[in-house]
Structure formats: structure tokens, C-alpha cells
DNA sequence: AATTTATTTAATGGATAATTTAATTTCAAG
DNA sequence: CTTGAAATTAAATTATCCATTAAATAAATT
């Protein structure tokens, strides 16, 4: 009922035609890049299917037709997002693991560190990932699962299995579950941030605090001393 | 394009009127309960908003009108689901923690154990929780966050902070992040099950294996022996 | 017989969304 | 200047889909 029929309130209803642009020689007006950013934010917040082009357009202060002008269709917009935003980030995440050598401890320290760092710098990723990869029917599931995930998952499992065989890793762990545990301790908490911030205001929980917490838990566990 | 106009294929198009029922004295026909089950399954799979009543009806081999007969509206159907399915399960989860005394180790063992047990017995929970609680805009967020979560979260935090103050808990952990970590190691992996099962077929990862893995990780950590 | 319960059929009434076409304005090149 | 290309909007097009209600029907209960 708060919805205005159509005229809405485009405070700057921008009249037709090409806008008088600062077309400096350096960069073109960058409208496309801006649209991608806005779309990414909204897709992360509401989910891809639940985000109409008209919403993206409104937030970007343009019309849906312009989205078609730049991207051709909603599907191709998603494609562009995957190619230009998701793949690069996923690749960067993968690098952290690959480059880290075969010592499991240092590999983990590097991986967790860069992971938390990258995710904090790209806060749209965790919620988007939860919706579109983790959830059944997510639109990015296939694309990301077929490319990025297996390489990482197998690498982690193999590192772990190797260490375990040599008695250097807690024998009660399942190497195949280690990758899931890693994600459950990093991407998941960041996606859940709005929830725990609502439960106990915790502005002092910085990415660095999270990193320390996760690595402490992974490397040493709770270190409970009994004594009831 | 696989969608049939309307006539669909209700192989048993059930003729009108009250069906000839086994109305045995013991239990009434149980149709309502069945509808709730079907709705729950579909809501978990596709999300609440994305599940039309017509789909629930089709899967339950009835018509949408019957859903209104029993529940009045889609909203009220969701209410019924929360009251009759979610609250009880959440409460049971909470019990596991409350009853477990104040020794942190045994509390955790009990909590993780019952949690994994209950979730495995109710596989609809993790995906539903991811969609409707974890995701922004989820329809169950408010209801569950305001009731169940704070009690649990504060309890865990206080137990942890207490233990930490007495030097009995790894000092690098943040007590407030412990609850999130617990969920990230239990509910999250179960919600992600379809993904890792697709990556490496792992039929031998039973709930018991997961429980052992999680407790091993929590209580002892990776126990890495360096040596590269 | 009469009434209540369970069910379907068949509207009803909205709402929304992606995409296309045509018009408009500015910019850049000749 | 002139002209064509680029960027934008307005308006139309087209395609659904979905919750809810009203009325009809059949069985069960009293």
C-alpha cells in the first residue's frame, strides 16, 4: 500500500535523450559498471529471481529499458555478473589455497586469512552465495559448483588425507568434511552477520577478530580444561 | 514449456464431493497433517514465497481450494507450520542445551549430538532455515530470531565467557562467535549436503560421522604436527 | 431426512514483469 | 554545420501467474 501506481518519485525524472555527459577522454560515463554494481547489491539482498529489472533500474535512477540496452536481457545481465564479478573473486579465493604450498598448517592460515579478507572487502558475496549457490534452485549453483568448488574441495581433502596418513592430523576428522567445515566457519558466519549483530550488538567483532577466532578453533580447538 | 495449461495430469482426478473415507474411530482422515507435511517439504525445497499453493496442492493430489478450506490463507498455512513444526523442533534443540548442565564440554557434546540427531531426523530443517532465516527477507527470520535464538546464543556465550575467565577455554576464541561456529559446523554442513555429495560421492558420511568430526574439531582442533 | 464435512469446478480479480519499438537528446566526426 | 552514432526514456506489448471465493457435489453423521 506504500506503492505508488507508476509515477513513483523519481526525484530527478531525467528527461529523455542522451544526458549531457562528462565524457572526459579518460573513461566513458561508466554507466554500465554502475548498473552492474547496483544489480549485484540487489541480487545479494533479495535474490536474483526476486529482483525485477525495474527495481535495479529504479535504484540506479534509470529505466528498465536501459538495462536491456546494455545487457540485452536479464539472463545476460546475470552472465555478465558471473564473468566480471564472481569468477574473479572465486579465482582469487582459489589462488590463496593453491599458492600456499603443501604444508597444511600454513596453507590453512593463508587460506582462512585471504578468504576472510576478500569476503570482508566484498560483503555482497556471502549472502549471494547462500541464496544462489547453497540454496536448492539457486541460479549460480551449477556454474560455480562445476568450476571452482571441485578443485578446492579435492585439494583440501587430499592435503588432509595425506597429513592424516602420516599421523599428523587429528584422526577423528573426516578429510572430506574439512572443506565444508572451513566454509562453515568463514563464509557462513559472514552471511549470518546481520543475525548475530541483531542478537548482541557487537561492533567490535572485526574481520581480524573473526580470523583469530577461526584459526584458534581450527588449530587448537576449544582447549577445554575439565574441572567442571 | 513443460507446463500443461491447466488440466495437467492428475492421474487420479478424484471426482467431486467428499471422498469415500476410511473414517475409522481411531484417527480422522489426516488430510490436514498430510498437507502440512507436503507444504513443509516444498517450502524447504523452493522457499516459501516461491511455492504457489497450486504446487502444494498438486503434489498432495488435491486442489488449491482445499488448502483454503483447511488453513484459510497462505499466511495462515505458514503460521500453522511455524506453530506445529518449527517451534517444537526449535524448542527441542533448546532443551538439549538447557538440560546439559554448566560443564561446557558435556554441554557441547550433548548439544552437538542432539542437534545433529534432530536435524538428520528432520532434513527439511536446514534448507528451510537457510532460506527463511539466514537469508535477508526470509519469512521466518523475525519469528525465530526473536524467540529461540537469543536465549541459546546468550547461554552459549556466557558459558564460554565463564570458562574463559577461569582459563579453561582457549583464550583466542571470542565467546560471542562460538554459537555461530557451532551452527556453522552443524546446520550449515547439513544444508550443504547436496553440494558436497555432488562433488565427491560420499554415501558413507552418516550423521554419526559428522558428529564425530565436529566434536573432534571442536574439542581438539586439527592437532597438526608440523614437520611440513 | 437433514445437516455437516470434505472436496472439486469454475470463476474472479489482481498484480507484475520482461522485452520491444519509437521518440528524443547529446556527442563526435567530417 | 551536418550527419550519424550513442545513450536514454516513454509507452506499448505480451506473457504469465497466483490467491482467493462461490457454488456444486458427494459422503458421513445424526
Amino acid at each position: 500500500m506504500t506503492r505508488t501506481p507508476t509515477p513513483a518519485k523519481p526525484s530527478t525524472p531525467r528527461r529523455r535523450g542522451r544526458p549531457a555527459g562528462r565524457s572526459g577522454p579518460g573513461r566513458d560515463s561508466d554507466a554500465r559498471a554502475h548498473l552492474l554494481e547496483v544489480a549485484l547489491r540487489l541480487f545479494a539482498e533479495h535474490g536474483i529471481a526476486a529482483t525485477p529489472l525495474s527495481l535495479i533500474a529504479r535504484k540506479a535512477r534509470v529505466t528498465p529499458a536501459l538495462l536491456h540496452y546494455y545487457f540485452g536481457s536479464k539472463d545476460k545481465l546475470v552472465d555478465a555478473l558471473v564473468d566480471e564479478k564472481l569468477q574473479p573473486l572465486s579465482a582469487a579465493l582459489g589462488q590463496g589455497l593453491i599458492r600456499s604450498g603443501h604444508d597444511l598448517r600454513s596453507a590453512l592460515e593463508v587460506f582462512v586469512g585471504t578468504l576472510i579478507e576478500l569476503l570482508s572487502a566484498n560483503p555482497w558475496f556471502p549472502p549471494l552465495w547462500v541464496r544462489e549457490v547453497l540454496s536448492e534452485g539457486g541460479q549460480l549453483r551449477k556454474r560455480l559448483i562445476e568450476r571452482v568448488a571441485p578443485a578446492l574441495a579435492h585439494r583440501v581433502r587430499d592435503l588432509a588425507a595425506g597429513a592424516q596418513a602420516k599421523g599428523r592430523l587429528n584422526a577423528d576428522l573426516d578429510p572430506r568434511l574439512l572443506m565444508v567445515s572451513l566454509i562453515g566457519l568463514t563464509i557462513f558466519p559472514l552471511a549470518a552477520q546481520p543475525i548475530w549483530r541483531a542478537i548482541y550488538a557487537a561492533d567490535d567483532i572485526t574481520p581480524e577478530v573473526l580470523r583469530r577466532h577461526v584459526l584458534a578453533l581450527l588449530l587448537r580447538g576449544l582447549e577445554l580444561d575439565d574441572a567442571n
Side-chain angles (χ1 to χ4, degrees), chain A residues 48-138:
Chain A
I48 296 179
T51 305
L53 292 184
S54 55
L55 179 65
I56 305 174
R58 187 157 8 110
K59 289 282 166 101
R61 308 181 143 295
V62 298
T63 61
L66 194 62
L67 285 164
H68 279 87
Y69 178 73
Y70 278 116
F71 302 102
S73 74
K74 189 176 178 180
D75 267 347
K76 293 207 215 117
L77 166 60
V78 174
D79 288 341
L81 233 42
V82 170
D83 292 344
E84 300 173 36
K85 301 283 180 179
L86 279 170
Q87 300 276 26
L89 187 54
S90 303
L93 293 181
Q95 287 311 319
L97 197 62
I98 305 300
R99 274 198 319 246
S100 57
H102 25 250
D103 172 52
L104 190 50
R105 163 172 294 165
S106 70
L108 281 179
E109 280 171 348
V110 171
F111 184 58
V112 170
T114 54
L115 188 52
I116 291 184
E117 195 177 346
L118 284 172
L119 295 181
S120 303
N122 297 276
W124 48 267
F125 187 91
L128 187 67
W129 186 86
V130 162
R131 269 192 211 274
E132 305 294 348
V133 179
L134 181 55
S135 291
E136 204 84 33

Side-chain angles (χ1 to χ4, degrees), chain A residues 87 90-91 93-94 97-98 111 129 133 140-159 175-176 178-180 183:
Chain A
Q87 300 276 26
S90 303
L93 293 181
L97 197 62
I98 305 300
F111 184 58
W129 186 86
V133 179
L140 307 179
R141 197 171 208 176
K142 265 194 98 169
R143 315 194 209 204
L144 284 202
I145 277 191
E146 282 170 2
R147 305 191 201 301
V148 198
L152 285 186
H154 288 145
R155 169 116 179 137
V156 169
R157 180 199 53 184
D158 294 343
L159 280 176
R176 291 165 299 176
L178 193 52
M179 183 69 184
V180 195
I183 300 200

